[in-house]
Amino acid sequence: MRTEQDTQNLALSGRSHSDDLALTTDDESAEGKQKGLNPRPIIRLVLRNILLLLGPAILCGAGAFALSLSAPRSYEGSFELLVEPITSQGRSTDPSALTREGGRDDTNSIDYPTLLQVLQSPELLKRISAQIRPRYPEVTENSLSREILQKTLVIGRVGTNILDSTRTIQVSYTGSDPEKVKFVLEKFAESYLRFSLEDRKNRIGGGVGFIEDQLPALQQRVNSLEAKVQSLKQRYRLTDPEAEGGALSEQFRDVQAQKLETQQQLTEQVTLYNTLRQQLGLSPEQGLAAAALSQNPRYQDLLNQLEKIDSQIAIKQARFNNESPVVSALIDQQRNIQQLILREAQTTLGMASPNVQTNSRIFAFQDAIRIALIQQLVQAGNSSQAIRARGIEIAQTEAFLDQQLRQFPAIVRQYNDLKQQLDIATRTLNQFLLQRETLRVEAAQKEVPWEVISQPNVLTDAAGKPVASVGKAKMYPILGLGAGLFLGLLLALLLEKIRDIFFNADDIRDAVQFPYLGTIPMDKGVRAISPASSFGGGLKPVLSDKFQDALSALYTDLRFLDSGKSLRSLAIGSTGVGDGKTTIALHLAQTAAAMGQKVLLVDANLRSPQLHSILGVPNDEGLMDLLNHRIEQPEKVIRTTSLDSRLSVLPAGSITPNATKLLAATEMKQLVNRLSGMFDLVIYDTPHLHGLTDTNFLAAATDGILMVVGVKKTKKSAFFKAVEGLKRYRIPVLGIVANHPGKGSAPINTQAEQSDSVYQEHPALFGNLKALRTALPDSAESGDMLR
């Protein structure tokens, strides 16, 4: 559990600014690769496998060419039919056009897709094959259908689109016998001409039959609609619905005008009547009664007498009291006259207005002015009554006309619908009758509708001999060459898949998505390093300037890879054994030391440590002792080398069975930080990544990992798998370096990497050997014995 937690801590906390740089470069490179296809890998693949590509292409092309030479020769012929007149004069003189109304031309009368389907129908092919079979028994309906599918018999319209399409049908036929080709085309032409005449007769006969079937129903519908129209006219007494509707509307407007005028007159008379009645204080009946009394002489005489007696009573009462005989006599006389007046008034009123209610104003004297006003009052009352009666009559007339107007639109609509249906039915019936006569005239025509404008012929040369062609066989060489190239490409891809290596530095540069930091060239001064040829004796390898320049450039690229943070520690890793990571780690450390840096080279390859043997330093104490806390001070186990005074080495130390697990412990991260503070640059030589996770734990604690790829050595599949692992654990990758792309040579290997290969094949045996070596003294003899 502790190891797993330490692993997570290292993977998360070990990221530095270099990690962000590597990931950013990864994203930018991926984005750049997505912008377009890089043709360089394909070109290099083709150049590497040019013989493999050309071999199948030449063989297949030659075979296809030989096949085309032996292919049977074929002959092609054709003829053309004009199925419609092309000029206006021709269309106007066509038998079918002569019988049409006005000789009109229907340019869209033929449905060409349908016509072509009919011309290729099994029924028509059966008739044609029956005419060909007496001379060529092998020709059948099925054989003609197969030839249509195989495009050796083509029936189509001349023209491909609406701009160049014609009224012409072309029939072409291809076969191995020119006489058969011409004979088949002749029979097709005869059959198609016969078909055009029969088709016209069949169409005409079918049209006449259809019309005869439709005529009874059409005639019955016309009669029914005529009866409905007649019934509607009789019910509503219609002659011309549109004119009658206008007259009814005009009459309604006149009645509305009369109604308005009557209302105005009634208002005037009622106003006058009320005014006169208010002035007179009498009703018309009372006014008539008052006028009658005023015109009665006896009544007026009695009134005069009463007036005189009233005067006398007034005079006498001034002299006598009421009990005086004189006054009493006058009062009795007054009473008698009043009774006579009342009796005379009742008699007069009974004759003039028997039912009138009495009113004191009736008995008053009515002068000429009041008599005139009474006359106006009576006239206004009578006029009002007459106007009201006329208004009632007008209202009744208006209601009747309004009802008629409301019903009339529905009646008119019903009438119009029936009339429209009757017109359509009548027009259709007339058209059917006319068309029947037209079709009967057309049926009498004997002229063939279609015309052969290009006679059936086989293609011939200038001498009149049939011209043979190889048909599709002329494409055989091209197809064979293409198939051969495709086969060669498949073989080349298969071979590349089987080899599974990077052939040159360009392959590595185009394949990776990390910074490409350079190429380490082959150098004869660099050989397989072993303890027998170690540097401990003061011997140094003689390296070429080219090799040293490449390492200097690599160190410079690493130094200035991230301008925001100096590089203090890095791990050197590779995918598998033999990629040269230990050699590059050693010479990179030596190069950095030569540039004035204080460098520490750490042998973290705990599975097969060899740096102590190469550099000739003791390995009794080292990295393992620091991780196991057997030694607390790193200075006690760090060794100086004879290569450079500024180059130190930390050997692996005593190897225990669980040594590799210590790389994932917290102590390892702490040690990395401590060593980074003691030296300008710390370089860790790590185990390979193929199938192992040791390097992942260590690299997560450093500033990043430098991947070494061996040209013609590193397996592509293993490399990409290792890169995916680094991405998954978010381990910063500083860059890629290609090792030793020499022609015909193997990559630079150290004996440590060779030992890694042995360890991969026999891990148990190698573990026992390492335990034995730990128990023995560190001497040349023990080293020889172990080897």
Side-chain angles (χ1 to χ4, degrees), residues 173-218:
Y173 181 59
T174 303
S176 58
D177 185 358
E179 295 183 357
K180 177 182 177 181
V181 170
K182 184 176 181 180
F183 183 77
V184 169
L185 291 175
E186 290 174 349
K187 294 304 178 184
F188 264 90
E190 295 174 2
S191 298
Y192 282 170
L193 292 176
R194 191 180 306 109
F195 163 77
S196 66
L197 183 59
E198 294 175 355
D199 177 67
R200 186 178 68 182
K201 291 182 178 180
N202 292 336
R203 285 188 291 104
I204 292 174
V208 172
F210 172 77
I211 292 174
E212 294 290 350
D213 294 338
Q214 299 297 321
L215 282 178
L218 280 174

Side-chain angles (χ1 to χ4, degrees), residues 374-431:
I374 290 172
Q375 184 178 3
Q376 292 180 14
L377 175 65
V378 173
Q379 291 177 355
N382 294 336
S383 298
S384 299
Q385 294 295 331
I387 292 173
R388 283 194 182 94
R390 186 166 69 252
I392 293 173
E393 183 179 355
I394 291 174
Q396 293 176 352
T397 304
E398 181 186 21
F400 174 76
L401 292 176
D402 182 65
Q403 182 181 5
Q404 292 293 321
L405 285 174
R406 292 179 183 275
Q407 294 179 352
F408 198 77
I411 298 172
V412 172
R413 182 170 60 253
Q414 183 180 1
Y415 174 81
N416 290 336
D417 291 343
L418 291 174
K419 194 71 170 61
Q420 183 179 9
Q421 294 177 17
L422 178 60
D423 292 342
I424 294 174
T426 303
R427 192 182 312 113
T428 304
L429 178 62
N430 294 335
Q431 289 177 353

Side-chain angles (χ1 to χ4, degrees), residues 758 764-774 785-786:
V758 176
L765 176 60
F766 199 74
N768 295 332
L769 289 175
K770 287 193 288 186
L772 178 59
R773 181 171 182 172
T774 303
M785 182 177 65
L786 286 174

Side-chain angles (χ1 to χ4, degrees), residues 579-643:
D579 291 336
K581 62 177 177 57
T582 301
T583 301
I584 290 180
L586 174 59
H587 289 287
L588 180 62
Q590 183 181 0
T591 301
M595 292 185 179
Q597 296 289 307
K598 186 179 179 182
V599 183
L600 175 64
L601 180 60
V602 180
D603 192 351
N605 188 357
L606 301 182
R607 297 181 182 272
S608 180
Q610 289 293 318
L611 281 177
H612 64 283
S613 299
I614 297 172
L615 296 174
V617 297
N619 192 34
D620 52 345
E621 294 175 341
L623 178 62
M624 290 303 302
D625 298 281
L626 293 174
L627 295 178
N628 288 325
H629 298 287
R630 289 197 292 266
I631 299 176
E632 297 296 336
Q633 299 299 326
E635 295 85 351
K636 295 181 179 181
V637 294
I638 293 177
R639 314 298 182 185
T640 59
T641 65
S642 60
L643 296 177

Side-chain angles (χ1 to χ4, degrees), residues 467-745:
V467 177
S469 64
V470 295
K472 295 182 180 180
K474 61 184 178 182
M475 297 296 296
Y476 287 173
I478 299 177
L479 296 176
L481 185 61
L485 289 175
F486 181 72
L487 178 60
L489 182 60
L490 290 180
L491 293 176
L493 292 175
L494 180 60
L495 183 59
E496 293 279 323
K497 185 70 174 178
I498 294 174
R499 290 179 177 177
D500 193 24
I501 59 175
F502 296 99
F503 288 90
N504 50 50
D506 291 334
D507 288 345
I508 301 173
R509 181 184 294 108
D510 292 334
V512 299
Q513 297 178 350
F514 301 107
Y516 183 79
L517 300 182
T519 302
I520 307 301
M522 178 184 177
D523 195 290
K524 295 181 179 180
V526 180
R527 61 192 183 280
I529 304 171
S530 65
S533 59
S534 66
F535 303 150
L539 297 176
K540 297 181 181 179
V542 180
L543 303 176
S544 65
D545 293 338
K546 185 177 180 181
F547 183 83
Q548 293 179 1
D549 292 341
L551 286 172
S552 298
L554 174 61
Y555 171 71
T556 303
D557 289 340
L558 290 171
R559 179 74 178 274
F560 297 101
L561 185 63
D562 185 3
S563 60
K565 185 177 181 297
S566 61
L567 182 66
R568 302 303 299 271
S569 62
L570 75 153
I572 306 296
S574 64
T575 302
V577 297
D579 291 336
K581 62 177 177 57
T582 301
T583 301
I584 290 180
L586 174 59
H587 289 287
L588 180 62
Q590 183 181 0
T591 301
M595 292 185 179
Q597 296 289 307
K598 186 179 179 182
V599 183
L600 175 64
L601 180 60
V602 180
D603 192 351
N605 188 357
L606 301 182
R607 297 181 182 272
S608 180
Q610 289 293 318
L611 281 177
H612 64 283
S613 299
I614 297 172
L615 296 174
V617 297
N619 192 34
D620 52 345
E621 294 175 341
L623 178 62
M624 290 303 302
D625 298 281
L626 293 174
L627 295 178
N628 288 325
H629 298 287
R630 289 197 292 266
I631 299 176
E632 297 296 336
Q633 299 299 326
E635 295 85 351
K636 295 181 179 181
V637 294
I638 293 177
R639 314 298 182 185
T640 59
T641 65
S642 60
L643 296 177
D644 195 301
S645 60
R646 290 178 294 271
L647 175 61
S648 302
V649 63
L650 176 60
S654 302
I655 305 301
T656 60
N658 62 343
T660 56
K661 296 182 179 180
L662 295 177
L663 295 178
T666 306
E667 289 81 357
M668 186 64 206
K669 184 176 185 304
Q670 295 173 350
L671 180 60
V672 169
N673 294 334
R674 186 173 180 182
L675 294 176
S676 297
M678 297 171 59
F679 293 88
D680 296 331
L681 178 63
V682 182
I683 299 176
Y684 295 87
D685 182 27
T686 65
H688 63 82
L689 291 170
H690 184 54
L692 304 177
T693 59
D694 307 359
T695 304
N696 293 333
F697 294 112
L698 178 57
T702 64
D703 291 338
I705 183 172
L706 175 64
M707 291 294 296
V708 178
V709 181
V711 177
K712 295 185 180 179
K713 179 63 175 65
T714 300
K715 296 295 184 181
K716 281 186 179 180
S717 57
F719 172 76
F720 290 125
K721 185 176 181 181
V723 169
E724 288 299 324
L726 295 175
K727 289 182 180 179
R728 184 167 59 253
Y729 297 125
R730 301 184 66 81
I731 297 174
V733 179
L734 299 177
I736 306 294
V737 59
N739 181 32
H740 193 42
K743 181 177 180 182
S745 62

Side-chain angles (χ1 to χ4, degrees), residues 46 49-61 481 484-485 488-489:
V46 171
N49 302 277
I50 188 66
L51 295 179
L52 187 59
L53 290 171
L54 293 179
I58 294 173
L59 291 177
C60 293
L481 185 61
L485 289 175
L489 182 60

